Amino acid sequence: MEIKLQLNGRAVCVPDVAPDTTLYDFLRAQGCASVKCGCETSNCGLCTVFLDDVPVLSCSMLAARAAGHKVTTLEGLQAEAAEFVGFIADQGADQCGFCNPGFVMNTIALLRENPDPTDEEIKAYLSGNLCRCSGYEGQLRGIRRFLDSRKEVPHA
């Protein structure tokens, strides 16, 4: 089957896609290396992408369902992600880096929805993301420091 969609702001048309191809496999075939898969059961959040600006788990969605829609991966959000990924790295929360794209995608979604979340709201929003290295506190501290930096008033 043919699939046409917008991927990171550009039109993509792939003429021969098997009907059982997941969106995850489709995106990886298009060179989107940020999309990871850690469980294939919709439990880890590593495969998160935006479908029409809404976060979805690409490992549990057929590519055919994305036809005609706008799909955005981390590759398409570099400028927005650059605002806060350094804060997460400063907290040592990117030890192996495998979970980072999913955390970044979900943090962007959270901040778009709620620009000033509490720590509990951050934890709840990111609870579906798997991280085996850092124990989540580093990500929380990094996001909190980023949010606090946006509130700081420059000294005259």
Side-chain angles (χ1 to χ4, degrees):
M1 79 177 29
E2 180 180 82
I3 294 182
K4 294 180 182 179
L5 51 78
Q6 288 289 317
L7 176 58
N8 297 325
R10 64 179 172 83
V12 171
C13 178
V14 179
D16 191 23
V17 179
D20 63 345
T21 300
T22 64
L23 182 56
Y24 164 78
D25 288 325
F26 180 87
L27 294 171
R28 294 289 293 192
Q30 301 311 305
C32 297
S34 71
V35 185
K36 309 286 191 221
C37 191
C39 69
E40 297 180 4
T41 59
S42 304
N43 286 312
C44 71
L46 301 180
C47 67
T48 301
V49 300
F50 291 166
L51 181 69
D52 297 330
D53 295 321
V54 175
V56 298
L57 298 172
S58 64
C59 78
S60 61
M61 179 179 187
L62 292 176
R65 288 193 57 212
H69 293 274
K70 178 175 87 168
V71 178
T72 310
T73 67
L74 187 55
E75 285 85 357
L77 295 172
Q78 290 299 299
E80 195 169 352
E83 293 182 42
F84 67 88
V85 293
F87 287 87
I88 292 173
D90 287 346
Q91 296 304 310
D94 60 348
Q95 292 177 25
C96 83
F98 194 70
C99 69
N100 286 7
F103 269 109
V104 171
M105 294 297 290
N106 281 297
T107 300
I108 288 172
L110 166 65
L111 297 178
R112 286 179 176 180
E113 184 179 310
N114 181 356
D116 192 23
T118 65
D119 286 358
E120 290 309 311
E121 290 169 326
I122 295 169
K123 287 178 186 178
Y125 207 95
L126 300 180
S127 65
N129 282 77
L130 176 68
C131 176
R132 292 186 173 135
C133 296
S134 68
Y136 306 98
E137 288 303 313
Q139 287 93 344
L140 175 62
R141 283 191 315 269
I143 294 166
R144 174 56 44 214
R145 292 219 169 118
F146 167 69
L147 293 171
D148 291 345
S149 77
R150 294 193 320 183
K151 294 178 187 176
E152 293 175 4
V153 179
H155 295 89

